[in-house]
Amino acid sequence: MAVNLKGRDFLKLLDFSEEEILYLVDLAADLKAKKKAGVLTDQLRGKNVALIFEKTSTRTRCSFEVAAHDLGMGSTYLDPSGSQIGKKESIADTARVLSGMFDGIEYRGYGQEIVEELAKYASVPVWNGLTNEFHPTQMLADLLTIRECFGRIRGIRLAYFGDARYNTADSLMVVGAKTGMHIVLASDQKYFPDPALVEECRKLAAESGGSITLTEDAREAAKGADVLYTDVWVSMGEPAEIWEERIRDLSRYAVTKELMDLAGEKAVFMHCLPAFHDLGTSVGREVYEKFGLKELEVTDEVFESAQSVVFQEAENRMHTIKAVMAATLGYEAC
Ligand code: CP
Ligand code: NVA
């Protein structure tokens, strides 16, 4: 039966089948081709979406806004301080208020239970723009990028380095398990993902032909990898005091040229961004002043190398977020 996602929430990839995930990647590729060819895709004219951001964003916010506009929709951005959400108005009440005015709601914030609660009470599709636990729209962009680079997703070996118990790493584990990838998470044991999620992903990987490996050995993880992937060591919402401990625990998992060379010249470097690879940020400079490190989770050499596909990956956020809104709001029916 043809995939039909109209009316569905997009909260985490555990809720979607491999077929549905790949359908969204295909739709994104089609929307990307149309955008490049100057073909308008504004069939959702007359609809409006609300974009709630309780944490800051560049890529996700811009992607939702540009994608909504390209689809013919209006968008309203609610910033971390500019709404009543959670402070003067409950999530359940907010969901019902916004459902009366908008056709879809994006939420970026803290616990996954908040976006799940929003979806429970909303009568329109709710899209997860990042929680502490999951970052599902990032995963679609990553799949599209991997397919553009290698022509396939199944069988790809993706090695992730660094904080493996947070949104990006955990979502990579889920999406890899669903789509038959070999996911290797390299980190200090302290930062390994929740064992229950690992077990669930291993069961899914057994069905899809993929695998999940946890290791403390960064060099072993890099050998033979198609993709080397990392994320920041301190995520949004975590206290600045934690930097010292993270640097101590995770420095040996920084993605360096040595690791890229172990993977080979065909391997690519990916990062959800933003990245600390030089002194071009105020946080980067503060860390440098305190700890003397000019680059953190990835070296500038790797970030700026020909093997780095991070800006292609960032652009794909927009095309894939467009696919999520299009599919759940009924674009395919047009
Ligand atoms: N990768 C990502 O989600 O970026 P932003 O925080 O800029 O949205
Ligand atoms: N782990 C990062 C991802 C940013 C896109 C964070 O939550 O800040």
Side-chain angles (χ1 to χ4, degrees):
M1 214 178 84
V3 170
N4 181 358
L5 299 178
K6 189 170 179 190
R8 286 272 296 274
D9 298 313
F10 188 75
L11 305 178
K12 57 185 181 305
L13 289 172
L14 285 169
D15 303 336
F16 288 80
S17 67
E18 178 180 12
E19 189 187 14
E20 289 168 340
I21 292 168
L22 296 180
Y23 168 82
L24 288 168
V25 176
D26 286 343
L27 179 57
D30 181 57
L31 289 164
K32 181 173 180 176
K34 287 197 166 85
K35 172 108 178 163
K36 302 280 177 200
V39 177
L40 294 182
T41 54
D42 56 353
Q43 287 93 328
L44 297 181
R45 279 187 306 277
K47 294 189 187 290
N48 289 285
V49 296
L51 310 177
I52 305 171
F53 281 82
E54 299 209 274
K55 289 176 178 169
T56 53
S57 167
T58 298
R59 275 145 293 273
T60 310
R61 175 186 175 179
C62 294
S63 295
F64 270 100
E65 290 197 1
V66 172
H69 184 264
D70 284 356
L71 290 168
M73 301 193 287
S75 62
T76 299
Y77 172 69
L78 295 145
D79 76 13
S81 60
S83 78
Q84 317 283 22
I85 300 162
K87 297 176 276 285
K88 286 170 66 185
E89 192 155 39
S90 70
I91 296 298
D93 292 356
T94 303
R96 288 173 288 180
V97 168
L98 296 181
S99 294
M101 300 182 196
F102 294 96
D103 299 283
I105 305 167
E106 179 275 353
Y107 175 84
R108 163 173 287 199
Y110 295 86
Q112 179 70 16
E113 71 284 358
I114 302 173
V115 77
E116 302 272 352
E117 168 117 340
L118 194 63
K120 182 175 159 197
Y121 286 95
S123 57
V124 297
V126 171
W127 309 299
N128 178 357
L130 176 145
T131 58
N132 295 346
E133 289 83 357
F134 295 115
H135 197 2
T137 61
Q138 179 71 48
M139 296 305 113
L140 297 181
D142 295 346
L143 291 185
L144 178 59
T145 309
I146 288 168
R147 209 175 61 182
E148 287 171 345
C149 292
F150 297 98
R152 68 194 166 98
I153 292 167
R154 188 166 289 275
I156 289 291
R157 184 179 157 101
L158 183 149
Y160 173 94
F161 301 85
D163 182 2
R165 37 102 257 172
Y166 223 66
N167 41 29
T168 301
D170 287 0
S171 300
L172 284 168
M173 190 167 67
V174 172
V175 85
K178 287 262 178 180
T179 59
M181 292 166 72
H182 301 291
I183 304 291
V184 183
L185 301 177
S187 191
D188 184 286
Q189 283 216 17
K190 222 165 120 181
Y191 302 88
F192 279 179
D194 173 12
L197 183 64
V198 175
E199 198 188 318
E200 189 173 359
C201 288
R202 282 196 168 132
K203 278 190 195 138
L204 291 167
E207 288 165 24
S208 72
S211 63
I212 307 294
T213 306
L214 307 184
T215 178
E216 289 197 287
D217 188 335
R219 291 172 57 87
E220 275 308 310
K223 279 182 199 158
D226 298 299
V227 180
L228 280 77
Y229 197 123
T230 189
D231 184 12
V232 290
W233 293 338
V234 176
S235 285
M236 288 183 277
E238 296 195 294
E241 298 72 53
I242 206 104
W243 271 110
E244 187 172 358
E245 186 181 341
R246 293 287 161 83
I247 287 170
R248 194 175 58 236
D249 295 339
L250 297 176
S251 285
R252 65 200 160 102
Y253 298 100
V255 179
T256 58
K257 175 130 189 345
E258 191 205 342
L259 288 189
M260 290 302 298
D261 288 347
L262 281 170
E265 61 187 19
K266 292 209 175 89
V268 299
F269 170 70
M270 294 178 68
H271 191 310
C272 54
L273 304 182
F276 294 116
H277 60 96
D278 61 13
L279 296 180
T281 66
S282 58
V283 172
R285 287 190 292 275
E286 276 168 39
V287 169
Y288 175 64
E289 274 156 31
K290 276 196 193 148
F291 307 105
L293 294 177
K294 283 192 175 149
E295 41 198 16
L296 300 174
E297 73 273 9
V298 56
T299 62
D300 197 48
E301 184 182 18
V302 170
F303 187 90
E304 296 292 354
S305 71
Q307 284 172 282
S308 172
V309 295
V310 295
F311 297 112
Q312 178 182 343
E313 183 184 5
E315 179 191 322
N316 284 339
R317 297 297 311 287
M318 198 283 285
H319 304 299
T320 43
I321 279 173
K322 189 186 287 178
V324 170
M325 289 197 288
T328 55
L329 296 178
Y331 166 93
E332 73 267 29
C334 297

